């Protein structure tokens, strides 16, 4: 049976847990509970291999992380936020490399500022969104949903 997305009404294949169009959770959990989604998370090591990670451990060790929730066939990939500045873009040497034409080469920047993490748009063509609102600069809070091109990411902090 096909599943309709509650967010965008896209008709998804039988058995899908996330919308193929917008990334919203559409599956059911035991007992019919649909409030809390879980995604297997990983990072890519130096050799290109997928390494499973526990998000709680990543957030505990670095204080914050981004996790791809939809887009580019990379759902579950995590990026620990370490250092003071992390570039996001289509440039291969970006700290958070998102390889798609909907992402500008230098799309956005995550900066540690005033004891928190801020997301700054770098004049990208398609814009940078937090919780579905276009931003120039935004102080990130735990659980914020970022959209950069076709990618949706969740910001997690400890």
């Amino acid at each position: 049976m096909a599943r309709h997305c509650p967010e965008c009404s896209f008709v998804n294949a039988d058995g899908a847990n996330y919308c193929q169009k917008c990334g919203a959770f559409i599956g059911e959990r035991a007992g019919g509970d649909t409030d809390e989604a879980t995604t297997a998370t990983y990072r890519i090591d130096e050799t290109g291999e997928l390494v499973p990670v526990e998000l709680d451990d990543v957030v505990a060790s670095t204080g914050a992380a981004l996790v791809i929730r939809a887009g580019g066939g990379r759902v579950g990939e995590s990026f620990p936020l370490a250092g003071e500045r992390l570039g996001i873009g289509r440039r291969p040497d970006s700290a958070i490399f998102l390889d798609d034409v909907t992402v500008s080469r230098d799309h956005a920047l995550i900066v540690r500022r005033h004891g928190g993490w801020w997301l700054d748009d770098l004049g990208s063509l398609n814009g940078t969104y937090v919780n579905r609102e276009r931003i120039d600069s935004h102080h990130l809070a735990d659980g914020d949903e970022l959209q950069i091109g076709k990618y949706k990411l969740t910001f997690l902090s400890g």
Side-chain angles (χ1 to χ4, degrees):
M1 177 176 176
R3 294 185 187 206
H4 287 79
C5 175
E7 297 289 325
C8 70
S9 299
F10 184 79
V11 179
N12 291 273
D14 184 31
N17 287 321
Y18 293 90
C19 177
Q20 292 173 305
K21 184 175 180 184
C22 74
F25 181 74
I26 60 173
E28 279 191 40
R29 287 171 202 80
D33 179 17
T34 58
D35 289 338
E36 204 173 306
T38 59
T39 301
T41 54
Y42 64 91
R43 68 176 174 80
I44 299 176
D45 71 8
E46 301 78 30
T47 65
E49 294 293 317
L50 301 181
V51 177
V53 297
E54 289 292 329
L55 277 177
D56 292 340
D57 295 341
V58 171
V59 172
S61 68
T62 63
L66 287 179
V67 178
I68 296 178
R69 296 294 187 196
R74 296 170 57 190
V75 172
E77 186 172 350
S78 64
F79 302 92
L81 302 185
E84 298 297 312
R85 303 166 57 95
L86 294 104
I88 302 172
R90 197 167 29 103
R91 189 176 302 280
D93 61 349
S94 296
I96 300 172
F97 174 55
L98 302 176
D99 189 18
D100 187 77
V101 296
T102 61
V103 177
S104 297
R105 282 183 187 87
D106 296 306
H107 198 104
L109 186 65
I110 293 185
V111 181
R112 189 183 303 263
R113 194 184 294 144
H114 308 295
W117 288 102
W118 291 75
L119 176 65
D120 297 335
D121 183 76
L122 297 177
S124 64
L125 182 63
N126 291 324
T128 300
Y129 296 80
V130 175
N131 301 324
R132 298 185 181 167
E133 292 189 25
R134 191 169 184 156
I135 59 101
D136 289 321
S137 183
H138 181 85
H139 181 243
L140 293 170
D142 186 46
D144 277 349
E145 179 187 82
L146 289 59
Q147 183 161 354
I148 298 173
K150 71 177 186 179
Y151 293 89
K152 288 190 178 182
L153 304 98
T154 300
F155 174 78
L156 302 170
S157 65

